[in-house]
Amino acid sequence: MSYPFSEIEPKWQHRWEEAKVFCATAKPGAKKYYLLEMFPYPSGRIHMGHVRNYTIGDVVARYRLAQGFHVLHPMGFDAFGQPAENAAIKQHFDPSVWTWRCISQMRMELKRMGFSYDWDREVVTCHLDYYRWNQWIFLKMFEKGLAYRAKSPVNWCPNCQTTLANEEVVEGGCWRCRTPVEPKELEQWFLKITAYAQDLLEDLSLLTQWPERVLTMQKNWIGRSEGTEIWFTVQETGQRLPVFTTRPDTIFGATYVVIAPEHPLVPALIKGRPQEPEVRRFIEKVSRETKQERTAEGVKKEGIFTGGSAINPVNGEAIPIWVADYVLVEYGTGAIMAVPAHDQRDFLFAKEHKLPIRVVIEPLHHGSDPLQWSEAFEGEGIQVNSGQFNGLPSSEGKQKIAAWMEEEGMGTRTVRWRLRDWLISRQRYWGTPIPIIHCSACGVVPVPEDRLPVLLPASAMVPLTGEGGSPLAKVKSFVETSCPRCRKPARRETDTMATFFDSSWYFARFCSPKETTLPFDPKETAFWMPVDQYIGGIEHAILHLLYSRFFTKFLRDAGLLKIKEPFEQLLTQGMVLKDGEVMSKSKGNVVDPEGVIVAYGADALRLFILFAAPPEDQLEWNDGAIDGIARFLNRVWELAESAVRPEPVEGRTGSATELRRKTHATIKRVTEDLNSFKFNTAISALMELKNAIEKAGDRVSANSSREAVEILVHLLNPFAPHMTEEIWQRLGYKELLATASWPAYEAGLLQENEVTLIVQVNGKVRSRLVVPVDLGKEELKTKVLADPAVQKWLDGKSPKDLIIVPNRLVNVVL
């Protein structure tokens, strides 16, 4: 018979909420623990990815609360964004109504899981109480020169007259009308994250509790490169063509130059040449590819000759200029010198297009003929074919050639970053309005702080068609305003902010979500920040985490925060799979959490999602496995039902002592496993304790059995909080188990008096003996040789030798 989870779970959810068990309070001097999972986009229903992420966090939050920490465990909704607006366009639905309806549904589902959130701190980013502070932070950045306007290429649909995100470009066409998408430059707003590039890179060393994989991804994205900017010259026009390289020692081996398809020199280079039509077709094709597709390893790199040439400043040689997909305009100067003998990507490209390969660093292990090489030589060697630098080690050549070029006016040593400033403009309705006014007399004017928030107009006023550019530009009452400086007629900025802006500081708002004079109360953040444990998907390992780190550093410089980094410890949980693939509606392999809760209860779902795999690994959904978890919970319920109140006893039997030792060993093991997020092994330990209690049965006194059951229930509480609260009450306790202190183990009980010894005869296991710990050699020999199982193999003979491994093994050698 199943325990009545459908009655128990809502009962205890109500009791926790009524008692405000999980309401966080800052208390100076108290030990605090800020646990945060990445908040969700309100799509309407929670999915198994949410369940896994939030269950991991909830177990840790409940455990830390039991350890006596003041725990902050908040939840909110990342509520602005493109999906709501696209749904409004397709279904003619108000994005505000749609979003708030989804939030209501998801809030209810999260509560059904029994998560220990402080709902009084809920943050919803589309609420004006939140996005007004987006605008305030933007203005502070504008004051410091960190928010600026510049031209930037976008995906443009000429039919709909609107910009498109990369995911809205389907096979090179607009997702709505299929019209071929064109690149177009628009004036857009950027945040100067590059001003913090060095800090963002250096402070990665502080993040000692982040996964190494994430640190590497961040480091590569920031991409600091020390090198030389070399000034080639376009032969036909005399224009300077700067290229950046980290290998100035290979400059004499450059046999062609490659520029990005978006490079500003391309139009002049190809104009009027026979190659012009073909180059334009190539550029259009590349414009439909993502940066990841263009630079992915193992993918063939494509390019085309422009017809132009560049003069290498070190030797006056004219070499061809190519356009290729693997060069990005955002990195370096948008142009590279190609040295195919010493760069694998250039090597493969040169082989494909039959371009020259010239060796300038002599390797020791390659053949002398580069045409016979199977790969480029990228290591250190001796300079050859390098003029006056011949014979130098390449490491020395790198420094001397760079200094020589700088002295001769051929280039300059510099540092380049892969990181580019953050484009935050969106030609969308459902986002934070950018608080800027454009005045024909005064130019770009920030909205005064006392006029914030700049309210988003009601959607009934906004034509959400997906056509004709920014929807806000068509709302006359929004656009037309007066300049705060000269009072003349002016117009509002009609771009809205990218939603990453919302999620780049929400963790600080959770510390004081009702603060009205600042984005957050500095005293509250001084207590709670940084976040002690942050949990979320690996897909956010670069942008979201990088932007959050950037905002933290800016807010520190603004005097609002006192920390360098927002997240002390990071856990990136794996995906939930079914049939070997990530759950997806399009694949039809979705398991609805609601259905599982109805069938098994939230506790069973929580326990399964943690037991099935370590948190960092992918998790394969298994319908049969959750049946096993449900059976385990039912057996715990039955054990608790049969437990009686303690009764006095004269002493403990051997079985009782052994059960007590097992119980306290389980406390130690589960505590250690929770500290290191080994939830699956912690649950396994609880299952072993359950088995030990059942095995002991009537051989132990009632109070011995009860103690073991109580400890089992207590340790199980973070994982299955509803059932264990009910059992706790039935056992006669008045206090809530959610607020009870975490049990401590007695170290003395963990030192066993007896051990089970493996007995071998000629290396093969023939018996096992229970003997006192550290039994003397002669006594041990007597016991082993007297064992009937050993005597059978001795067959009346004397052993040649006894090999003893203390407290573990005895091998009888015949």
Side-chain angles (χ1 to χ4, degrees):
M1 176 182 174
S2 297
Y3 72 96
F5 57 80
S6 58
E7 300 171 16
I8 289 172
E9 291 179 353
K11 167 187 172 181
W12 289 105
Q13 289 159 14
H14 176 72
R15 287 281 296 276
W16 296 327
E17 188 170 357
E18 188 178 56
K20 293 190 175 296
V21 173
F22 307 118
C23 287
T25 54
K27 186 179 179 182
K31 59 179 184 177
K32 66 91 182 179
Y33 195 85
Y34 185 176
L35 188 287
L36 183 63
E37 306 99 15
M38 295 180 185
F39 64 169
Y41 175 78
S43 58
R45 303 296 296 262
I46 65 169
H47 53 66
M48 284 300 175
H50 291 132
V51 171
R52 190 180 196 197
N53 187 0
Y54 302 148
T55 302
I56 290 169
D58 191 61
V59 168
V60 177
R62 287 174 175 274
Y63 169 61
R64 295 301 184 191
L65 184 65
Q67 288 186 310
F69 286 89
H70 282 242
V71 174
L72 174 57
H73 187 208
M75 177 49 65
F77 297 92
D78 195 8
F80 272 138
Q82 188 174 313
E85 187 158 337
N86 284 347
I89 293 167
K90 286 181 180 178
Q91 303 166 21
H92 306 290
F93 206 82
D94 185 329
S96 175
V97 172
W98 184 84
T99 299
W100 285 102
R101 187 175 295 173
C102 288
I103 287 171
S104 179
Q105 173 71 23
M106 290 184 75
R107 187 190 298 116
M108 179 186 72
E109 292 180 341
L110 292 170
K111 287 185 175 183
R112 284 201 67 180
M113 287 297 301
F115 296 139
S116 57
Y117 295 129
D118 181 352
W119 285 106
D120 289 347
R121 292 175 180 262
E122 180 182 276
V123 162
V124 179
T125 60
C126 69
H127 195 285
L128 62 89
D129 285 348
Y130 187 85
Y131 74 72
R132 70 166 295 186
W133 296 113
N134 278 349
Q135 295 171 345
W136 186 90
I137 293 170
F138 176 91
L139 293 178
K140 294 301 176 185
M141 289 186 170
F142 184 79
E143 287 175 13
K144 298 294 184 182
L146 296 174
Y148 66 93
R149 204 161 177 249
K151 283 190 174 181
S152 174
V154 296
N155 299 316
W156 180 259
C157 174
N159 182 54
C160 297
Q161 291 289 296
T162 192
T163 59
L164 301 172
N166 285 337
E167 59 269 25
E168 293 178 316
V169 180
V170 181
E171 296 180 353
C174 172
W175 69 282
R176 279 187 296 267
C177 67
R178 303 301 175 185
T179 300
V181 172
E182 302 173 353
K184 181 178 180 178
E185 284 205 333
L186 286 183
E187 287 276 354
Q188 300 190 85
W189 285 95
F190 292 82
L191 299 184
K192 199 171 185 180
I193 189 174
T194 53
Y196 285 86
Q198 191 66 42
D199 280 353
L200 289 168
L201 182 64
E202 287 180 357
D203 288 350
L204 288 174
S205 64
L206 304 176
L207 303 175
T208 57
Q209 298 182 80
W210 280 34
E212 193 61 39
R213 176 186 177 191
V214 175
L215 294 175
T216 300
M217 292 167 74
Q218 290 252 320
K219 183 177 180 180
N220 290 342
W221 190 264
I222 296 166
R224 186 183 191 274
S225 299
E226 292 185 13
T228 304
E229 183 177 290
I230 303 173
W231 300 321
F232 284 72
T233 304
V234 178
Q235 185 176 39
E236 292 78 7
T237 65
Q239 291 173 287
R240 177 179 283 187
L241 175 57
V243 304
F244 174 76
T245 181
T246 59
R247 294 290 307 273
D249 53 316
T250 65
I251 177 63
F252 288 91
T255 57
Y256 60 102
V257 168
V258 186
I259 62 177
E262 306 88 352
H263 197 287
L265 285 182
V266 171
L269 269 175
I270 64 175
K271 187 174 182 181
R273 294 184 182 275
Q275 295 91 342
E276 182 175 2
E278 194 175 355
V279 173
R280 289 193 179 279
R281 283 193 294 271
F282 175 77
I283 291 172
E284 184 181 350
K285 173 181 176 294
V286 174
S287 71
R288 298 193 290 268
E289 299 173 358
T290 65
K291 294 173 187 175
Q292 289 76 13
E293 290 170 336
R294 288 169 57 178
T295 58
E297 291 185 15
V299 177
K300 180 180 173 182
K301 308 309 178 191
E302 297 184 355
I304 189 168
F305 178 45
T306 64
S309 300
I311 304 299
N312 186 335
V314 301
N315 56 18
E317 181 182 6
I319 57 178
I321 301 174
W322 283 65
V323 170
D325 56 1
Y326 68 90
V327 177
L328 303 178
V329 74
E330 298 93 346
Y331 182 69
T333 62
I336 65 165
M337 63 178 202
V339 186
H342 307 296
D343 182 279
Q344 183 63 15
R345 190 176 52 180
D346 296 342
F347 178 82
L348 295 174
F349 191 86
K351 285 273 193 178
E352 175 73 22
H353 297 284
K354 297 181 173 55
L355 294 165
I357 300 175
R358 181 185 303 148
V359 176
V360 292
I361 306 295
E362 184 71 54
L364 299 177
H365 61 281
H366 279 64
S368 59
D369 183 3
L371 295 178
Q372 303 304 314
W373 291 3
S374 59
E375 60 182 12
F377 174 67
E378 298 179 329
E380 291 192 6
I382 302 300
Q383 298 281 165
V384 296
N385 302 319
S386 301
Q388 68 267 40
F389 303 100
N390 285 343
L392 288 177
S394 57
S395 56
E396 187 179 342
K398 183 183 292 187
Q399 303 302 323
K400 290 193 172 181
I401 291 174
W404 170 68
M405 283 193 291
E406 198 165 50
E407 290 169 4
E408 296 295 325
M410 300 175 186
T412 183
R413 285 173 286 192
T414 186
V415 173
R416 293 283 181 177
W417 302 88
R418 184 179 185 273
L419 182 66
R420 285 292 173 264
D421 285 342
W422 173 14
L423 170 64
I424 65 161
S425 276
R426 296 294 182 269
Q427 291 73 45
R428 296 280 176 180
Y429 162 68
W430 194 236
T432 299
I434 293 176
I436 290 292
I437 291 171
H438 299 278
C439 173
S440 57
C442 304
V444 174
V445 181
V447 172
E449 284 182 29
D450 60 4
R451 297 189 191 179
L452 297 180
V454 176
L455 292 173
L456 198 63
S459 59
M461 303 167 61
V462 185
L464 294 177
T465 63
E467 302 175 357
S470 171
L472 291 178
K474 301 166 190 171
V475 183
K476 186 177 179 181
S477 59
F478 176 82
V479 174
E480 293 182 356
T481 186
S482 59
C483 174
R485 290 179 183 165
C486 68
R487 308 299 180 189
K488 292 180 181 178
R491 62 180 183 85
R492 289 192 188 280
E493 174 62 61
T494 57
D495 281 356
T496 51
M497 296 182 192
T499 54
F500 271 127
F501 199 109
D502 305 343
S503 58
S504 294
W505 66 280
Y506 78 113
F507 44 85
R509 182 67 177 174
F510 274 136
C511 295
S512 49
K514 296 178 175 62
E515 174 64 34
T516 59
T517 59
L518 286 170
F520 45 83
D521 184 343
K523 291 180 181 178
E524 291 287 316
T525 54
F527 178 80
W528 290 114
M529 293 292 292
V531 174
D532 294 276
Q533 180 64 59
Y534 198 36
I535 303 172
I538 191 70
E539 66 272 19
H540 298 297
I542 298 178
L543 295 183
H544 164 60
L545 292 176
L546 190 67
Y547 295 154
S548 298
R549 297 179 62 222
F550 163 50
F551 266 57
T552 298
K553 295 178 188 309
F554 169 74
L555 293 168
R556 173 202 62 194
D557 290 349
L560 294 176
L561 289 177
K562 296 183 178 180
I563 55 174
K564 285 188 173 183
E565 291 290 336
F567 312 122
E568 189 78 18
Q569 188 164 344
L570 175 69
L571 186 150
T572 52
Q573 89 283 355
M575 297 281 192
V576 181
L577 313 179
K578 191 168 191 300
D579 304 324
E581 295 186 290
V582 176
M583 288 189 184
S584 166
K585 290 179 182 177
S586 62
K587 295 173 184 173
N589 65 346
V590 172
V591 176
D592 180 18
E594 179 73 12
V596 178
I597 292 172
V598 170
Y600 296 95
D603 282 345
L605 176 54
R606 291 166 60 107
L607 210 61
F608 167 79
I609 212 82
L610 295 173
F611 184 60
E616 300 90 347
D617 293 354
Q618 292 182 330
L619 183 157
E620 178 71 32
W621 181 265
N622 185 318
D623 292 321
I626 198 167
D627 284 330
I629 291 293
R631 287 194 296 273
F632 165 68
L633 289 176
N634 280 317
R635 291 298 298 132
V636 173
W637 178 264
E638 290 166 8
L639 280 175
E641 286 286 275
S642 63
V644 295
R645 295 184 182 281
E647 56 188 38
V649 289
E650 295 298 324
R652 295 186 180 276
T653 66
S655 295
T657 302
E658 188 60 36
L659 179 59
R660 195 155 190 259
R661 182 181 294 116
K662 178 68 174 177
T663 301
H664 283 258
T666 304
I667 297 173
K668 181 176 186 290
R669 182 175 164 188
V670 171
T671 301
E672 291 173 348
D673 284 349
L674 283 175
N675 287 336
S676 55
F677 296 167
K678 295 178 180 177
F679 306 114
N680 55 331
T681 57
I683 295 168
S684 180
L686 294 172
M687 291 176 172
E688 290 176 16
L689 178 57
K690 186 270 298 181
N691 292 340
I693 297 170
E694 290 178 328
K695 186 177 179 181
D698 296 334
R699 291 178 295 150
V700 298
S701 61
N703 60 340
S704 297
S705 177
R706 179 186 169 102
E707 180 197 36
V709 169
E710 285 187 3
I711 294 295
L712 172 62
V713 169
H714 204 152
L715 297 177
L716 184 59
N717 177 252
F719 304 95
H722 306 91
M723 186 188 80
T724 51
E725 281 283 12
E726 181 70 17
I727 292 173
W728 198 247
Q729 183 189 55
R730 293 186 182 210
L731 288 172
Y733 289 98
K734 302 301 181 185
E735 68 169 343
L736 289 168
L737 184 51
T739 60
S741 297
W742 190 251
Y745 62 88
E746 295 181 25
L749 283 172
L750 305 185
Q751 297 177 1
E752 296 186 6
N753 298 318
E754 295 180 327
V755 292
T756 300
L757 205 67
I758 295 173
V759 180
Q760 298 177 337
V761 178
N762 281 348
K764 294 185 178 180
V765 177
R766 299 303 184 187
S767 184
R768 285 179 171 80
L769 290 176
V770 177
V771 299
V773 172
D774 297 326
L775 184 65
K777 184 176 181 181
E778 291 304 317
E779 293 175 278
L780 181 60
K781 181 177 178 180
T782 300
K783 277 185 174 290
V784 169
L785 296 181
D787 183 7
V790 175
Q791 288 183 346
K792 173 185 172 183
W793 292 97
L794 286 174
D795 194 22
K797 301 174 184 176
S798 296
K800 181 180 178 182
D801 194 11
L802 261 72
I803 300 171
I804 299 172
V805 179
N807 298 322
R808 290 181 59 191
L809 177 147
V810 174
N811 184 23
V812 180
V813 182
L814 298 181

